[in-house]
Amino acid sequence: MASDTIIPATRNAGSTVRRSTSGRRTQVTAAYLFVLPFFIVFIAMLVIPLGYAGYLSLFKSQLIGGLSFAGLSNYVQAITDPEFLAGIGRMGIFLLVQVPIMLGIALFLALALDSGRARGSKALRLLYFVPYAVPGVVATLMWGYLYGPDFGPFAQLFHTFGLDAPNFLGQQSILGSMMNIVTWEFVGYNMIIMYAALRGIPGELYEAAEIDGASQFRIAWNIKIPAIRPAIILTVIFSIIGTFQLFNEPSLLDAIAPNAVTNGFTPNFYAYNLAFVNQDVNYAAAIAFLLGIVIAIVSYVVQVQTQRGERRQRKASK
């Protein structure tokens, strides 16, 4: 009788394991099917174009002989190209000046909204985010009109008071004008990221700090900002990538201020002009690859330095 009861139990256990295994296979298959469209688009729109661009960067098109294998000569030419290096230098200045200002304003607005002391916070969040919803082309054209030296509102305002309007589109000020456009566009986007991170901080920390007599400034400096450091680092990396990929602003302002914006004003704009104006797609591909390498190196350095700073703070606190 004992064996009769054990055998059915063993069979039931085996069938249960088989059902669970088949069910798990079904879930895994379904998961892969859901992810498959992403991989198809990723490979078709990113991996294949990158591979083709890398292939093109290894060749040169010549009047005599046509397309010929050039190895790394395009890359050697790029790292000694004054136009490309000047564009990298401008974007370095852009990164050191514009990004801290933009992220500082975004952090201030996020902290102000999170403090609960700003009236109509929902309306203010929408108001701050609206510039990001405006397409970059429209924003640049709008600011180009505002910067206009003859009929722009800024120039008219200065003329009303009998003053000479500053030339926002001159060679010395065009980079600052672009900084202003990008700041206006992306402050709201970065503010939303930081504000979302602030909303995830437990409220008990604030209550304990207020009981201890901490001011709002101390709470923001010692609790809120350290708690959202990963979100701040994320906005920094996004800003680095966006800085070196700057394209809309120089390409559109070039028509308004051709003497101030050169064909190599930014590396991305330079690669575009090489490919579609000069018809040198091979050299443009090499420029694009080098630009990607520069972005990766700068982002990696920033991330490593930030992690080292966090480790030092942890050691100091211990």
Side-chain angles (χ1 to χ4, degrees), residues 130-280:
V130 162
Y132 178 71
V134 177
V137 173
V138 176
T140 304
L141 292 175
M142 179 188 72
W143 279 99
Y145 165 71
L146 294 175
Y147 288 147
D150 298 323
F151 304 104
F154 294 153
Q156 294 297 320
L157 181 62
F158 275 90
H159 293 159
T160 301
F161 292 98
L163 301 174
D164 292 332
N167 187 7
F168 295 107
L169 300 176
Q171 291 182 354
Q172 302 299 323
S173 56
I174 190 68
L175 186 62
S177 299
M178 289 185 190
M179 291 180 185
N180 178 65
I181 296 173
V182 175
T183 300
W184 181 82
E185 285 182 286
F186 289 96
V187 158
Y189 171 78
N190 292 292
M191 183 271 297
I192 289 295
I193 294 176
M194 296 177 187
Y195 180 75
L198 286 169
R199 301 305 295 174
I201 302 175
E204 293 81 2
L205 295 176
Y206 304 152
E207 295 175 1
E210 290 175 355
I211 292 173
D212 291 338
S215 63
Q216 288 295 323
F217 176 79
R218 292 294 300 275
I219 292 174
W221 185 258
N222 295 327
I223 298 177
K224 292 184 178 182
I225 294 178
I228 66 168
R229 185 173 285 118
I232 296 175
I233 295 172
L234 182 66
T235 59
V236 170
I237 293 175
F238 283 170
S239 300
I240 291 171
I241 296 172
T243 295
F244 285 100
Q245 290 183 341
L246 199 66
F247 178 78
N248 286 336
E249 289 74 15
S251 63
L252 293 172
L253 292 180
D254 181 38
I256 304 173
N259 295 327
V261 180
T262 62
N263 288 339
F265 194 85
T266 67
N268 212 10
F269 188 48
Y270 186 41
Y272 170 82
N273 282 307
L274 285 172
F276 298 102
V277 178
N278 298 345
Q279 300 298 317
D280 192 354

Side-chain angles (χ1 to χ4, degrees), residues 2-220:
S3 60
D4 292 340
T5 57
I6 291 174
I7 292 173
T10 305
R11 290 176 179 173
N12 291 334
S15 61
T16 303
V17 171
R18 283 194 295 272
R19 282 197 299 269
S20 63
T21 303
S22 62
R24 188 173 181 180
R25 288 177 181 171
T26 303
Q27 291 178 352
V28 170
T29 303
Y32 277 113
L33 289 176
F34 278 115
V35 176
L36 184 61
F38 165 78
F39 279 109
I40 293 175
V41 174
F42 180 77
I43 293 172
M45 299 299 176
L46 185 65
V47 176
I48 294 177
L50 277 176
Y52 183 60
Y55 169 78
L56 289 176
S57 68
L58 301 176
F59 290 84
K60 271 190 176 182
S61 181
Q62 300 174 344
L63 292 177
I64 300 175
L67 195 66
S68 61
F69 182 74
L72 298 178
S73 63
N74 284 327
Y75 293 93
V76 174
Q77 180 183 351
I79 61 178
T80 57
D81 188 342
E83 285 276 356
F84 177 64
L85 296 178
I88 291 290
R90 289 189 197 95
M91 293 304 95
I93 297 172
F94 198 99
L95 178 65
L96 294 175
V97 176
Q98 186 270 337
V99 170
I101 293 174
M102 177 183 65
L103 296 184
I105 296 173
L107 180 60
F108 174 79
L109 295 176
L111 291 171
L113 291 174
D114 187 67
S115 67
R117 298 193 175 189
R119 295 182 179 180
S121 60
K122 293 183 179 180
L124 288 175
R125 288 202 301 270
L126 179 61
L127 181 65
Y128 297 149
F129 189 74
V130 162
Y132 178 71
V134 177
V137 173
V138 176
T140 304
L141 292 175
M142 179 188 72
W143 279 99
Y145 165 71
L146 294 175
Y147 288 147
D150 298 323
F151 304 104
F154 294 153
Q156 294 297 320
L157 181 62
F158 275 90
H159 293 159
T160 301
F161 292 98
L163 301 174
D164 292 332
N167 187 7
F168 295 107
L169 300 176
Q171 291 182 354
Q172 302 299 323
S173 56
I174 190 68
L175 186 62
S177 299
M178 289 185 190
M179 291 180 185
N180 178 65
I181 296 173
V182 175
T183 300
W184 181 82
E185 285 182 286
F186 289 96
V187 158
Y189 171 78
N190 292 292
M191 183 271 297
I192 289 295
I193 294 176
M194 296 177 187
Y195 180 75
L198 286 169
R199 301 305 295 174
I201 302 175
E204 293 81 2
L205 295 176
Y206 304 152
E207 295 175 1
E210 290 175 355
I211 292 173
D212 291 338
S215 63
Q216 288 295 323
F217 176 79
R218 292 294 300 275
I219 292 174

